[in-house]
Amino acid sequence: MKTYDYPNSRALFDRAAQVIPSGIYGHLGPAEGCFIPVSAYPFYIDHAQGAYFWDVDGNRFIDYMCAYGPIVLGYNHPAVDRAAREQLEKVNCGVLPGEIMVKLAEKLVSMIHSADWAFFAKNGGDVTNLAMLAARAHTRRKKIIKFAGGYHGVAQWMQFVGNAGIIDEDVSNIITLPFNDAEAVSAAFKRYPGQIAGIIATPYHHPAMADNALPLPGFWTEVRKLCTQEGAVLIVDDVRAGFRLDLHGSDHHYGFEADLICYCKALGNGYNISALCGKNTLKEAVSSVFYTGSYWLSAMPMAAALATLEELEKVDGAKLMTSLGKQLTQGLEEAAQEYGFHLLVTGEPAMWNMRLTDDDSGVLHQQWVSECVRRGVFFTSHHNLFINTALTQEDIKYTLDVARDAFCALKATRERSKA
Amino acid sequence: MTLEKTRAAINLHAILRNLEDLCQLDDDAKTLLTGHDLSIGMHVPGLEPLTLAIKDGCLRARRGKAGGGLRLQFLSPAHFNGMVAGTKMPLPLGNLQHLRFLQNNFAALAKDLEKYLKPDKESLKDPVFLEKNTRLTAAAALYAASEIAGTDPLGQKIAAAMGNGSILLEVPGVLAYTIQARDGRLTTLKDAQPPLHAFMRFKSLDILGQVLRGEADSYLAIGRGQIEVSGRIPMVDNFNKLLGLVSFYLA
């Protein structure tokens, strides 16, 4: 199979290095994005359509990161882009919000089973942070429970002491517990009676650089009960999983109800919008929080979001992505076995995590992933992957062919190094 | 107090320990050892002692006490740091016949080391000096990171988050160190010491030196393929945070 080169990406990176910190910072860059080795990966996108993107060297990739989640219907979905364009032709960022804001809020309230209202912002971190503030405002308490490995954004309280710029005081009211340990949650409430404002968690455990874990039977029932009993706010961070497991909310998927639920990523199919939805009991608390942003009420992303939700309903998006994900991951596991490797798939099929377990350092997995990338299948080695509804059977077949070719290359490399 | 203790741990087990490498790299340093056979033990309250054993023109630095020899006793980490800064004197005990070595040769060794660890811009233009500076700075930084992990409260938290395993930091074919992490404690060792779980490979000694001297952005270097990281990335990420603290302490 042909493998890709990236001369234009590299040249553009050299230009970027002069004027942008790190060249490309953040999770889309080669350092934090864990491009291992860097030589296997493109750095810049030129254009995209459906399940694919093309880099600046003209190489085509199937995007299994979906831009780290947002691209749920495929790039440049015609209905979403049309809705956005029509709104843009009227107004986008105006001095007042448009009717579209009300329409979108009504849509979310009708879809999300734990939502009585919706509040809009731009990034997932905007709404996870708002959820924390609302919990504190509502309860007049300080402490927040989160689960080890859970990612909720980059605000100070969400990070760790040791990260640049983070001090003890930023995290001194954060209690970190193991996911799936309801007893630990109960013990925390006993240890800090009347002090815990809320619990924030992803609906299932999908940390970076670690196997994913679904909630154990009874975990969420117990946590819900404890929050109700103790007067703490249960916040579900559905930023990553939202609309991929269940169009009514990932809490609905797991059989419980959140008090507050956070959305971003898939909400606008790439148009930048986030939403905090929640129960009427917290409406006033949210209204009381001083929280706003210049672009938060922009109309164009709202139009895109409304169209995205309507399309997801039309195609029964969560069910479709789960089915495609099951098919793909089963094929990947089988491909690994054919070549004598063991691929461990964890998490939900629509956004699965995978890891070769044949080497406990992770180097083998990083090598295999890089071989897939070189052949036009864009995986990452450190993060869960994502399905979108534009993926076809042909794409799955191509992906499995690439996976096999990559396993073949990996096996050959392994045998050469043993010799 | 914590700051003084960590500084003392770094001065002892990273900086003075570096005399071993200096004496392998630098002819002037080797000359200062010729004809001498002695050991110098540095004892700082709250820290494991450092013993410098000099014999056959070589200097070996070891953690822990050695019997006999000249013993330099310090009253506190601050006292020891004062000696390193040249403002305080140690309490010499044990075999005092080597006091002259201490006052003359050892002092000259320390000055020689300082020349490499605090280089002036002119000296760095000489490629031979530059290579020695890089090797000695790398050793100092990597041993210092382990000391910070053991004594600095923030360093301890970072080390605890690393899990158990070993990181190889190398310039392939040129220089290699292994950082072993176990139960929140780090040990820096020379050479690759398998099993290894995470890797930081620098394309050249030059790029390593540039990163250590703050002349190169390590994220850019990763993007350019001048630094390759692989394996257990959280171990590397956390170790890089410790290296950030090294800059703070060595500044």
Side-chain angles (χ1 to χ4, degrees), chain B residues 22 26 28-29 32 107-117:
Chain B
L22 175 74
D26 186 71
D28 290 343
L32 289 165
L109 277 173
K111 259 214 130 33
D112 201 18
L113 182 61
E114 190 181 13
K115 177 183 82 183
Y116 286 106
L117 294 183

Side-chain angles (χ1 to χ4, degrees), chain B residues 46-105:
Chain B
L47 297 175
E48 209 177 347
L50 175 74
T51 298
L52 303 173
I54 294 151
K55 192 181 169 111
D56 301 329
C58 286
L59 185 150
R60 293 276 176 266
R62 292 289 177 266
R63 295 180 88 99
K65 294 185 232 188
L70 177 63
R71 175 180 167 131
L72 300 182
Q73 183 64 53
F74 297 88
L75 301 176
S76 65
H79 181 197
F80 174 68
N81 291 336
M83 183 211 72
V84 171
T87 58
K88 292 197 161 78
M89 297 299 293
L91 296 173
L93 301 168
N95 193 339
L96 300 182
Q97 67 173 313
H98 300 299
L99 266 181
R100 184 165 292 174
F101 179 91
L102 185 73
Q103 286 157 351
N104 299 331
N105 302 51

Side-chain angles (χ1 to χ4, degrees), chain A residues 331-354:
Chain A
L332 289 170
E333 285 172 319
E334 285 165 3
Q337 257 181 351
E338 281 168 34
Y339 288 88
F341 295 104
H342 179 242
L343 187 70
L344 175 65
V345 172
T346 55
E348 292 278 1
M351 42 183 284
W352 79 105
N353 189 71
M354 61 183 178

Side-chain angles (χ1 to χ4, degrees), chain B residues 11 14-22 26 29 107-119 136-137 140:
Chain B
N11 278 332
I15 306 297
L16 284 182
R17 189 239 127 253
N18 226 350
L19 289 173
E20 177 178 296
D21 294 355
L22 175 74
D26 186 71
L109 277 173
K111 259 214 130 33
D112 201 18
L113 182 61
E114 190 181 13
K115 177 183 82 183
Y116 286 106
L117 294 183
K118 292 180 181 174
L136 291 168
T137 305

Side-chain angles (χ1 to χ4, degrees), chain B residues 228-251:
Chain B
E228 286 181 7
V229 295
S230 61
R232 292 184 192 167
I233 300 303
M235 287 197 80
V236 174
D237 278 348
N238 281 302
F239 188 67
N240 279 333
K241 288 175 193 168
L242 286 171
L243 288 178
L245 290 179
V246 168
S247 308
F248 164 72
Y249 276 103
L250 293 186

Side-chain angles (χ1 to χ4, degrees), chain A residues 208-219:
Chain A
M209 311 210 208
D211 297 341
N212 291 182
L214 300 184
L216 291 172
F219 172 69

Side-chain angles (χ1 to χ4, degrees), chain A residues 109-406:
Chain A
V109 167
S110 74
M111 270 177 85
I112 307 300
H113 89 129
S114 51
D116 295 325
W117 48 262
F119 179 113
F120 301 109
K122 279 281 159 248
N123 291 304
D126 295 334
V127 293
T128 51
N129 198 45
L130 175 60
M132 181 277 291
L133 290 171
R136 284 180 169 166
H138 180 69
T139 61
R140 300 265 189 275
R141 300 173 188 172
K142 292 183 185 178
K143 295 195 183 300
I144 298 287
I145 291 175
K146 69 177 183 67
F147 295 105
Y151 175 79
H152 303 295
V154 295
Q156 286 96 310
W157 65 270
M158 303 169 190
Q159 295 201 41
F160 307 99
V161 172
N163 286 8
I166 304 301
I167 59 178
D168 284 322
E169 288 82 352
D170 291 328
V171 298
S172 56
N173 282 301
I174 306 303
I175 301 164
T176 303
L177 301 175
F179 188 80
N180 264 335
D181 191 342
E183 276 181 27
V185 175
S186 176
F189 277 117
K190 287 191 176 95
R191 186 164 174 208
Y192 300 103
Q195 297 176 60
I196 295 174
I199 298 180
I200 184 165
T202 52
Y204 75 93
H205 195 49
H206 47 68
M209 311 210 208
D211 297 341
N212 291 182
L214 300 184
L216 291 172
F219 172 69
W220 277 124
T221 306
E222 185 60 20
V223 171
R224 173 70 268 176
K225 188 179 105 190
L226 284 165
C227 284
T228 304
Q229 191 175 283
E230 302 291 336
V233 176
L234 181 51
I235 304 163
V236 167
D237 177 353
D238 219 4
V239 166
R240 200 182 296 181
F243 307 112
R244 279 193 161 87
L245 310 188
D246 188 322
L247 297 185
H248 302 297
S250 298
D251 54 342
H252 181 256
H253 181 71
Y254 291 116
F256 71 103
E257 261 189 44
D259 295 315
L260 294 172
I261 187 158
C262 310
Y263 289 101
C264 186
K265 290 195 187 280
L267 177 57
N269 199 48
Y271 287 86
N272 49 353
I273 183 167
S274 60
L276 178 68
C277 299
K279 294 269 186 274
N280 270 331
T281 46
L282 287 150
K283 202 176 185 184
E284 195 184 324
V286 165
S287 296
S288 74
V289 175
F290 174 56
Y291 212 63
T292 190
S294 299
Y295 290 90
W296 288 8
L297 303 191
S298 297
M300 189 174 81
M302 291 183 179
L306 183 57
T308 299
L309 294 174
E310 286 166 352
E311 283 303 309
L312 282 170
E313 281 184 322
K314 232 187 258 176
V315 302
D316 201 353
K319 190 172 169 190
L320 173 59
M321 286 184 279
T322 296
S323 165
L324 289 168
K326 276 184 182 155
Q327 192 188 344
L328 177 67
T329 52
Q330 198 174 325
L332 289 170
E333 285 172 319
E334 285 165 3
Q337 257 181 351
E338 281 168 34
Y339 288 88
F341 295 104
H342 179 242
L343 187 70
L344 175 65
V345 172
T346 55
E348 292 278 1
M351 42 183 284
W352 79 105
N353 189 71
M354 61 183 178
R355 173 175 70 90
L356 284 176
T357 62
D358 309 274
D359 147 42
D360 76 347
S361 74
V363 168
L364 200 68
H365 183 67
Q366 289 157 358
Q367 285 171 346
W368 174 68
V369 164
S370 76
E371 294 296 343
C372 291
V373 173
R374 284 181 215 269
R375 291 160 174 75
V377 168
F378 196 88
F379 289 148
T380 63
S381 58
H382 68 294
H383 194 280
N384 69 276
L385 302 123
F386 296 91
I387 298 288
N388 66 63
T389 63
L391 199 67
T392 64
Q393 290 300 314
E394 224 176 72
D395 295 330
I396 291 179
K397 183 184 174 310
Y398 180 77
T399 303
L400 296 178
D401 287 344
V402 162
R404 284 191 184 87
D405 206 59

